[in-house]
Amino acid sequence: GAGVSQSPSNKVTEKGKDVELRCDPISGHTALYWYRQRLGQGLEFLIYFQGNSAPDKSGLPSDRFSAERTGESVSTLTIQRTQQEDSAVYLCASSFAGGGAQYFGPGTRLLVL
Amino acid sequence: KNEVEQSPQNLTAQEGEFITINCSYSVGISALHWLQQHPGGGIVSLFMLSSGKKKHGRLIATINIQEKHSSLHITASHPRDSAVYICAVRLGNEKLTFGTGTRLTIIP
């Protein structure tokens, strides 16, 4: 595709429910990143995938958060038992190689009621 | 103290003015990114640099590795440049650490 795509663009859920966010990176990009931006705050790193290497999960805020990536394609970020503090824009980015310029998707705006 | 500090936090200028946004970091890095986030939330990567200077149109980014400092300059600023500009550094592994951003408003 022409760019990084994410779905859904908006998600409203009730506290305690699980949500799954999807990211389709640019074709051929081996590196994929998930970030979070809470309202009025800066971007926070969540997780990084590079090829078939073990992902860098050091930014995941709790064990309720997990992410998977199928080969070098789509990635899903799952948040279990959502809490109100999980409300944020979740951004995905991809790059041709680890350390290359990152191209960001439009984000998924998550609201936990 | 954040590892990445930006200044100013907010900047308002008249159309046509020369704009400078600064970024300082406290640790050794492998690269520095400048990102632009528009009011709708979309993020665009402007520059990635590890030394020297890069130019793209009216935008110029410089980095001084010894001083741990980078600047983003905008020449002949225009209202469409209004956005949040974010500095991010890569600390040797691949994840980015972000500054809090500079909100730029250009008044016609």
Side-chain angles (χ1 to χ4, degrees):
Chain A
V4 178
S5 60
Q6 292 185 245
S7 61
S9 53
N10 291 280
K11 176 73 176 177
V12 180
T13 191
E14 293 179 348
K15 179 181 170 182
K17 295 283 179 73
D18 297 352
V19 296
E20 190 173 276
L21 312 180
R22 177 186 169 108
C23 172
D24 283 277
I26 293 172
S27 178
H29 280 192
T30 60
L32 186 146
Y33 310 77
W34 282 98
Y35 300 98
R36 177 173 74 174
Q37 187 173 33
R38 289 169 163 162
L39 186 65
Q41 298 189 23
L43 285 152
E44 303 171 75
F45 165 81
L46 296 177
I47 188 169
Y48 159 66
F49 296 89
Q50 170 58 46
N52 294 319
S53 302
D56 177 351
K57 303 180 182 180
S58 59
L60 294 179
S62 78
D63 60 7
R64 296 186 295 104
F65 287 72
S66 62
E68 292 184 350
R69 187 180 186 195
T70 308
E72 293 184 352
S73 61
V74 65
S75 175
T76 54
L77 176 70
T78 302
I79 309 173
Q80 295 178 310
R81 305 181 302 283
T82 52
Q83 303 294 313
Q84 288 180 330
E85 64 261 26
D86 299 334
S87 297
V89 176
Y90 289 82
L91 290 152
C92 174
S94 70
S95 67
F96 182 67
Q102 295 185 22
Y103 295 80
F104 284 78
T108 293
R109 191 174 299 274
L110 174 66
L111 178 61
V112 182
L113 300 176
Chain B
K1 186 181 189 301
N2 286 342
E3 289 172 312
V4 183
E5 298 276 352
Q6 286 186 239
S7 64
Q9 289 187 327
N10 293 281
L11 177 58
T12 299
Q14 292 291 131
E15 182 174 356
E17 285 190 40
F18 181 80
I19 303 299
T20 296
I21 299 170
N22 296 299
C23 176
S24 297
Y25 49 92
S26 56
V27 295
I29 66 170
S30 55
L32 183 144
H33 297 245
W34 281 103
L35 309 171
Q36 180 191 55
Q37 186 170 31
H38 281 284
I43 293 179
V44 175
S45 178
L46 298 175
F47 296 103
M48 183 183 71
L49 63 166
S50 54
S51 66
K53 174 171 132 177
K54 287 190 175 180
K55 184 175 188 291
H56 182 70
R58 295 181 295 105
L59 301 176
I60 303 166
T62 64
I63 188 168
N64 185 317
I65 296 296
Q66 288 73 30
E67 295 184 4
K68 295 186 170 59
H69 181 268
S70 175
S71 292
L72 176 68
H73 305 285
I74 305 174
T75 61
S77 59
H78 189 277
R80 65 174 174 267
D81 298 326
S82 298
V84 176
Y85 291 83
I86 303 167
C87 171
V89 299
R90 201 167 77 237
L91 304 178
N93 56 15
E94 303 308 334
K95 69 181 183 183
L96 295 179
T97 299
F98 296 88
T100 53
T102 295
R103 184 175 299 276
L104 174 66
T105 303
I106 304 298
I107 300 171

